[in-house]
């Protein structure tokens, strides 16, 4: 079936845009995001973990203010895959 809608084909190509192709690249990006988040928040996110896969980027951890959570999100959004970011950082 070569009659695919060009918009559907474009959307499927864009699904993984900006995300790493290999496990090594995903780990490297996760480390970069983790360093950026810690730097921008002044190490304000506790138990930070960053997961990068084909679907996007997930931030997990805990912090004491919504401002810190926002800083973490902003830092991660500035890197590849940031447009597919899920911020699961808990504010306590």
């Amino acid at each position: 079936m070569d009659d695919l809608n060009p918009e559907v084909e474009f959307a499927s190509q864009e699904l993984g845009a900006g995300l790493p192709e290999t496990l090594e690249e995903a780990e490297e990006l996760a480390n970069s995001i983790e360093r950026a988040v810690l730097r921008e928040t002044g190490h304000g996110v506790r138990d930070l973990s960053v997961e990068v896969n084909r679907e996007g980027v997930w931030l997990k951890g805990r912090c004491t203010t919504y401002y810190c959570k926002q800083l973490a999100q902003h830092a991660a959004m500035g890197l590849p895959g940031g447009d597919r970011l899920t911020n699961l950082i808990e504010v306590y």
Side-chain angles (χ1 to χ4, degrees), residues 26-84:
E27 289 173 357
E28 188 176 309
L29 178 57
N31 289 333
S32 295
I33 292 170
E34 184 173 339
R35 285 190 305 271
V37 167
L38 291 174
R39 181 180 61 247
E40 293 299 317
T41 63
H43 293 264
V45 179
R46 307 278 187 239
D47 304 321
L48 176 63
S49 72
V50 179
E51 182 182 331
V52 177
N53 61 36
R54 291 181 185 179
E55 276 118 46
V57 175
W58 280 266
L59 296 180
K60 298 176 186 175
R62 299 178 302 122
C63 61
T64 58
T65 66
Y66 285 98
Y67 179 67
C68 182
K69 180 177 179 169
Q70 184 180 13
L71 287 175
Q73 180 170 323
H74 185 72
M77 289 175 66
L79 295 167
D83 60 330
R84 309 276 317 269

